[in-house]
Amino acid sequence: MNLKSDLAAKLRDVLDNMSQEEFDKEWSEITALNLQSPSFSEAIEYFALMQDQLGHFEMATTPQVAVSGSNNYALAA
């Protein structure tokens, strides 16, 4: 499993084994912190604005190698 899957599995295990009373207590402690975060639409708007400044990115689905010139460099992975 990867890190995200492990974390999700641990969270699911904690939540599955937590009583409703324990969950309510934990949740009330979190809400008492009055944390503020952007809404989903605000986050989308921010990233849409940033995309214009960052340029265009694509995910390559196949490895691509470009060889030019006559250098003698080697890359080992």
Side-chain angles (χ1 to χ4, degrees):
M1 264 195 234
N2 65 35
L3 181 62
K4 289 182 182 180
S5 297
D6 290 341
L7 184 59
K10 289 176 185 177
L11 177 59
R12 168 162 260 157
D13 185 51
V14 167
L15 293 174
D16 285 346
N17 293 303
M18 182 181 281
S19 70
Q20 185 64 47
E21 292 79 20
E22 291 171 316
F23 178 84
D24 292 343
K25 179 182 180 289
E26 294 284 336
W27 189 249
S28 68
E29 290 174 9
I30 292 169
T31 57
L33 296 173
N34 293 320
L35 300 174
Q36 298 294 317
S37 64
S39 67
F40 182 75
S41 60
E42 290 169 331
I44 294 298
E45 181 180 337
Y46 171 79
F47 288 116
L49 292 173
M50 291 303 297
Q51 183 179 10
D52 292 338
Q53 296 174 12
L54 295 174
H56 178 72
F57 298 95
E58 290 182 19
M59 184 174 92
T61 56
T62 57
Q64 298 177 7
V65 177
V67 178
S68 64
S70 61
N71 60 39
N72 292 323
Y73 299 115
L75 176 64

